[in-house]
């Protein structure tokens, strides 16, 4: 049975897309069958896999204009398929408002894929709008990237309240997969203070793996490649491979 994981934080620039893309690619390298859904109108996850020719994708799937299977493309990364996004996804935010079961549009669309993949990863937009709510309603769990910087915990309470609200109303089974510390710089005292604060507040909810600042991680998307394809030996690739292994150990030991 496929597990669906949303990568969400309404704060921008915390490493959501970097995590969605590179966790997907590393899980693929570890021989898991992955679907990455780009649920952000900026479509950065789509371009990070070098996909530019997009006729149909997340918008058509959300609107139930096409089946989920029709909206999927193969990526160049082993074992990773992508449901791409383009700017028209912005319109879905308004167009879904009047629909019945508007929060369940993505969940219902993904039913037919439940046996096709080991994991489906949804890259959410930096907002708590209707598309993100659809993603959280469809998901079994959520990964929350938090950057090791001054405003790290700002807005986290609001996200946690949204998750609680979705647990109460649309998706009682939604779980927090883990909080992922990103953009760690060991030279900065502040980075270490943020780690201590997050671990004190959230304890076992925090992934052991920490994603360090790495120039290669920033460069890879401009070449339309994941970090594992772009430079498998760099620190960023090693961090995400460790995260993928930690993720597999957690999920498949539990199973």
């Amino acid at each position: 049975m496929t597990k669906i994981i949303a990568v969400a934080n309404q704060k921008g620039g915390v490493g959501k897309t970097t995590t969605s893309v590179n966790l997907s690619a590393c899980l693929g390298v570890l021989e898991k069958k992955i679907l990455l859904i780009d649920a952000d109108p900026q479509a950065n996850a789509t371009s990070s896999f070098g996909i530019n020719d997009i006729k149909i994708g997340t918008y058509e799937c959300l609107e139930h204009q096409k089946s989920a299977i029709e909206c999927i493309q193969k990526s160049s990364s082993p074992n990773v398929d992508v449901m791409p996004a383009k700017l028209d996804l912005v319109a879905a935010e308004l167009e879904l408002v009047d629909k019945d079961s508007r929060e369940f549009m993505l969940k219902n669309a993904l039913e037919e894929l439940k046996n096709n993949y080991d994991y489906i990863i949804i890259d959410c937009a930096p907002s708590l709008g209707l598309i993100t709510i659809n993603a959280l309603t469809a998901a079994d769990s959520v990964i929350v990237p938090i950057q090791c910087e001054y405003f790290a915990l700002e807005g986290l309470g609001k996200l946690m309240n949204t998750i609680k609200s979705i647990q109460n109303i649309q998706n009682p089974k939604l779980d927090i997969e883990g909080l992922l510390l990103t953009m760690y710089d060991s030279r900065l005292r502040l980075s270490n203070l943020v780690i201590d604060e997050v671990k004190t507040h959230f304890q076992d909810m925090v992934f052991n793996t920490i994603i360090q600042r790495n120039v290669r991680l920033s460069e890879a998307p401009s070449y339309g490649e994941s970090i594992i394809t772009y430079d498998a030996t760099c620190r960023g690739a090693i961090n995400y491979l460790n995260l993928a292994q930690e993720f597999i150990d957690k999920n498949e030991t539990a199973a």
Side-chain angles (χ1 to χ4, degrees):
M1 189 73 166
T2 303
K3 181 169 186 179
I4 303 175
I5 304 100
V7 180
N9 188 332
Q10 81 272 23
K11 200 168 180 308
V14 297
K16 280 188 299 300
T17 299
T18 301
T19 295
S20 301
V21 166
N22 293 309
L23 177 58
S24 296
C26 289
L27 287 169
V29 165
L30 296 173
E31 300 187 341
K32 302 298 171 188
K33 186 112 177 66
I34 305 298
L35 171 63
L36 173 63
I37 297 176
D38 193 345
D40 182 351
Q42 294 176 80
N44 291 334
T46 301
S47 59
S48 292
F49 275 115
I51 297 172
N52 299 308
D53 180 26
I54 306 153
K55 292 183 176 64
I56 56 174
T58 310
Y59 172 80
E60 288 77 10
C61 179
L62 258 177
E63 295 274 357
H64 292 194
Q65 293 175 4
K66 300 281 184 183
S67 72
I69 287 173
E70 291 177 281
C71 298
I72 291 167
Q73 292 191 27
K74 292 253 175 243
S75 84
S76 54
S77 198
N79 297 317
V80 179
D81 291 346
V82 177
M83 185 182 288
K86 50 187 192 289
L87 197 56
D88 63 1
L89 190 54
V90 170
E93 201 77 52
L94 298 171
E95 291 166 9
L96 290 175
V97 167
D98 298 328
K99 299 206 173 184
D100 294 333
S101 304
R102 61 191 180 189
E103 299 95 343
F104 295 88
M105 298 294 278
L106 185 59
K107 181 183 175 73
N108 294 338
L110 295 181
E111 281 300 320
E112 65 175 319
L113 301 178
K114 278 297 181 79
N115 296 312
N116 294 16
Y117 296 94
D118 294 308
Y119 300 105
I120 295 175
I121 294 174
I122 308 174
D123 181 33
C124 296
S127 72
L128 294 177
L130 200 44
I131 298 172
T132 299
I133 288 169
N134 260 272
L136 293 171
T137 301
D140 298 300
S141 66
V142 55
I143 291 175
V144 183
I146 302 171
Q147 84 278 39
C148 297
E149 290 175 5
Y150 181 66
F151 292 116
L153 300 179
E154 186 187 69
L156 193 56
K158 192 174 176 189
L159 177 65
M160 292 300 183
N161 287 337
T162 301
I163 290 169
K164 277 200 186 84
S165 158
I166 286 168
Q167 286 167 332
N168 290 335
I169 303 166
Q170 290 96 359
N171 186 1
K173 294 182 178 169
L174 182 64
D175 194 12
I176 294 178
E177 187 73 35
L179 277 60
L180 176 66
L181 291 154
T182 63
M183 304 180 190
Y184 172 67
D185 187 338
S186 57
R187 295 167 302 178
L188 299 179
R189 183 164 165 264
L190 179 61
S191 284
N192 294 302
L193 289 174
V194 170
I195 287 175
D196 291 343
E197 192 170 350
V198 171
K199 287 191 169 176
T200 302
H201 274 83
F202 297 102
Q203 298 170 351
D204 293 346
M205 288 165 64
V206 185
F207 281 107
N208 293 324
T209 304
I210 295 172
I211 308 301
Q212 294 165 281
R213 277 198 181 278
N214 181 238
V215 174
R216 308 296 271 173
L217 272 178
S218 308
E219 290 172 354
S222 64
Y223 292 90
E225 294 181 5
S226 71
I227 193 60
I228 204 76
T229 316
Y230 181 63
D231 184 354
T233 60
C234 75
R235 184 184 292 160
I238 292 162
N239 288 166
Y240 275 109
L241 274 169
N242 289 340
L243 176 66
Q245 192 59 60
E246 183 180 351
F247 176 86
I248 289 169
D249 292 345
K250 179 180 175 182
N251 280 284
E252 300 186 7
T253 307

